[in-house]
Amino acid sequence: LKMLSRTGCSSHILFTSINASKKEVLCFQIQRSMRIAASGTGGRSSVSGVSATLFGSTGFLGRYVTNRLGRSGSQVVVVSRSGDLSTRHLKIMGDLGQIIPMDFSLKDKETMIPFLERSNTVVNCMGRFWGTRNYTLEQVHVEGPKLIAELSKELGVETFIHVSALGASKNSPNAFLRSKGLGEEAVRKAFPDAIIVRPGLMLGQEEKFLNWHAQFHRFYGVCPMFYNDEALLSPVYVGDVASAIQRIALNPYDHYGKTFEIVGEKTYTQSDLLNLLIKASEIDPAIVNLSPFLSKLFGKLCDYIPDYFLLGDFSSERVGLFADDNVKSNEPGVLGLTDLGINPTPLEGISRTYLSMWRRGSPFAIDLSNKSIFKDNN
């Protein structure tokens, strides 16, 4: 029975045991959404009971979620519209045969049914900061999640985890946050027990905030601070967000219908975060505070000028996120990392593990006798 469940068999499997002496027939019906009992020590060769489909698996957060679920003994279908080359590196994040790449189209629900009907958990990590001629923000953040949630409900999926964004609101003036807020509303309507996860600004190895500033400084010698560097931010280590999703997926029963806002232990301004880069890389950038007008102009340039010149992954909507505070809300009933038993990872420590690559000379070009670089200003 355990092997049948792990391999994702169809929703109704008839297992018959015949006792020849008593002529008794015992039948078991296995539902597709039923979890099997967890077994093992909790590592990648264990059985967690989770058979998950992960949308957005090739993105920044999705790679970490794949890793967390795979190393806890979960079977993960990593779906992508970009072909096998975009997901093959994820296969080593779980035991043999437990990370399964699949192709799909967000505009064709028939491509989603084969793996959704064999899953008891669906995690949606899809998101982007700008629309394209193929996929608008509304299609990625509203229509796509709504379709996935409706199909998941129809096919009997047990747990639906939807990743939104800190500050998401259908009334937000920012198109990114507004589409994320509308997406939450659409998912809740289609799947009332959906679990919403709102992460703050995520930092980590492949993040495109401090790494972007470092690259921009390398080419232009300056680091821009948007909207006069007045907004407060609640950044979080991306690994903590992935760990939160993992814990929710492994034990969802106490969290159905709830919302989590995943933030770090401190609030920062943009210049505070830039200090993490300066300490780790020992660069000395010229900091330029851009007024609201110049910030909007910079965002428009990011929209229309090729990435080569502005070194990419910024847009007018992403620049607009720094216009107002982006911190944990006072919304009643909203939970956080500590409610999942997770202590936020200090950004001062984790930033040094990947920002040192921007040191001049080499990542190891550092004077170890200068102990002050290992101390935090706070």
Side-chain angles (χ1 to χ4, degrees):
L1 292 177
K2 184 183 297 182
M3 184 58 66
L4 288 172
S5 180
R6 288 184 64 182
T7 53
C9 293
S10 60
S11 59
H12 300 290
I13 302 170
L14 191 64
F15 176 78
T16 305
S17 173
I18 302 177
N19 187 321
S21 60
K22 296 184 178 180
K23 307 294 185 182
E24 294 177 350
V25 178
L26 182 62
C27 297
F28 298 93
Q29 193 177 48
I30 304 174
Q31 302 296 331
R32 77 166 69 79
S33 61
M34 183 183 295
R35 289 183 180 231
I36 59 176
S39 63
T41 59
R44 59 186 278 138
S45 297
S46 303
V47 177
S48 71
V50 173
S51 179
T53 292
L54 176 59
F55 292 87
S57 58
T58 59
F60 177 36
L61 174 61
R63 292 192 287 262
Y64 285 81
V65 175
T66 303
N67 175 269
R68 295 300 193 276
L69 290 176
R71 74 186 191 185
S72 62
S74 303
Q75 187 178 75
V76 187
V77 177
V78 290
V79 297
S80 170
R81 62 185 180 89
S82 305
D84 199 40
L85 291 178
S86 65
T87 54
R88 63 180 183 178
H89 61 285
L90 301 175
K91 295 176 72 174
I92 61 174
M93 294 183 180
D95 208 359
L96 183 63
Q98 292 296 85
I99 308 297
I100 307 167
M102 294 284 286
D103 295 328
F104 89 112
S105 171
L106 192 59
K107 299 176 181 178
D108 184 2
K109 70 177 184 179
E110 297 300 323
T111 63
M112 306 181 199
I113 292 176
F115 44 81
L116 286 180
E117 68 180 1
R118 291 167 171 81
S119 299
N120 55 37
T121 301
V122 172
V123 182
N124 174 38
C125 293
M126 292 189 301
R128 62 181 309 147
F129 289 106
W130 62 89
T132 67
R133 59 187 176 184
N134 294 320
Y135 290 94
T136 65
L137 288 177
E138 287 69 28
Q139 287 175 318
V140 175
H141 296 155
V142 185
E143 297 171 15
K146 178 184 177 182
L147 176 60
I148 296 169
E150 289 174 343
L151 280 175
S152 298
K153 190 68 176 178
E154 178 184 336
L155 296 172
V157 172
E158 181 181 308
T159 304
F160 191 94
I161 303 172
H162 175 69
V163 178
S164 182
L166 191 65
S169 171
K170 64 179 182 180
N171 300 316
S172 174
N174 183 278
F176 170 77
L177 293 177
R178 183 169 61 252
S179 63
K180 281 290 191 179
L182 291 171
E184 286 186 18
E185 191 177 75
V187 166
R188 279 270 194 250
K189 184 176 181 180
F191 203 114
D193 287 335
I195 302 165
I196 306 294
V197 177
R198 299 172 183 161
L201 173 65
M202 291 183 287
L203 300 180
Q205 184 72 35
E206 305 92 354
E207 54 94 348
K208 294 174 181 176
F209 178 72
L210 293 179
N211 281 325
W212 180 87
H213 275 292
Q215 193 175 19
F216 197 89
H217 166 263
R218 177 167 288 184
F219 277 78
Y220 299 106
V222 299
C223 286
M225 298 288 102
F226 306 113
Y227 291 90
N228 292 322
D229 190 26
E230 294 177 350
L232 290 176
L233 309 172
S234 293
V236 61
Y237 173 50
V238 64
D240 290 343
V241 182
S243 294
I245 293 173
Q246 175 201 29
R247 295 201 180 189
I248 293 171
L250 292 178
N251 186 24
Y253 308 107
D254 296 332
H255 308 308
Y256 287 142
K258 295 183 179 179
T259 299
F260 290 82
E261 292 189 346
I262 310 299
V263 298
E265 58 183 356
K266 298 179 184 178
T267 57
Y268 299 79
T269 61
Q270 294 173 71
S271 56
D272 292 334
L273 291 175
L274 186 61
N275 283 333
L276 299 180
L277 170 63
I278 292 172
K279 290 172 65 176
S281 62
E282 298 186 310
I283 64 174
D284 186 21
I287 299 176
V288 179
N289 283 326
L290 300 182
S291 66
F293 172 77
L294 291 177
S295 297
K296 293 177 183 177
L297 179 60
F298 186 93
K300 289 296 182 182
L301 291 175
C302 290
D303 288 341
Y304 294 106
I305 294 181
D307 286 351
Y308 175 80
F309 296 100
L310 292 175
L311 311 171
D313 296 303
F314 257 70
S315 66
S316 56
E317 300 306 332
R318 189 170 188 188
V319 170
L321 295 176
F322 301 102
D324 300 299
D325 291 347
N326 191 238
V327 296
K328 189 173 182 178
S329 69
N330 294 320
E331 186 178 334
V334 172
L335 305 177
L337 280 177
T338 55
D339 296 293
L340 294 168
I342 300 173
N343 294 320
T345 301
L347 297 179
E348 288 76 10
I350 200 67
S351 61
R352 296 192 184 102
T353 65
Y354 68 93
L355 293 176
S356 60
M357 63 181 280
W358 296 106
R359 292 178 186 144
R360 291 191 179 276
S362 79
F364 306 103
I366 184 171
D367 181 8
L368 296 179
S369 64
N370 181 11
K371 297 183 179 180
S372 64
I373 63 173
F374 298 105
K375 295 181 181 178
D376 298 330
N377 291 332
N378 299 323

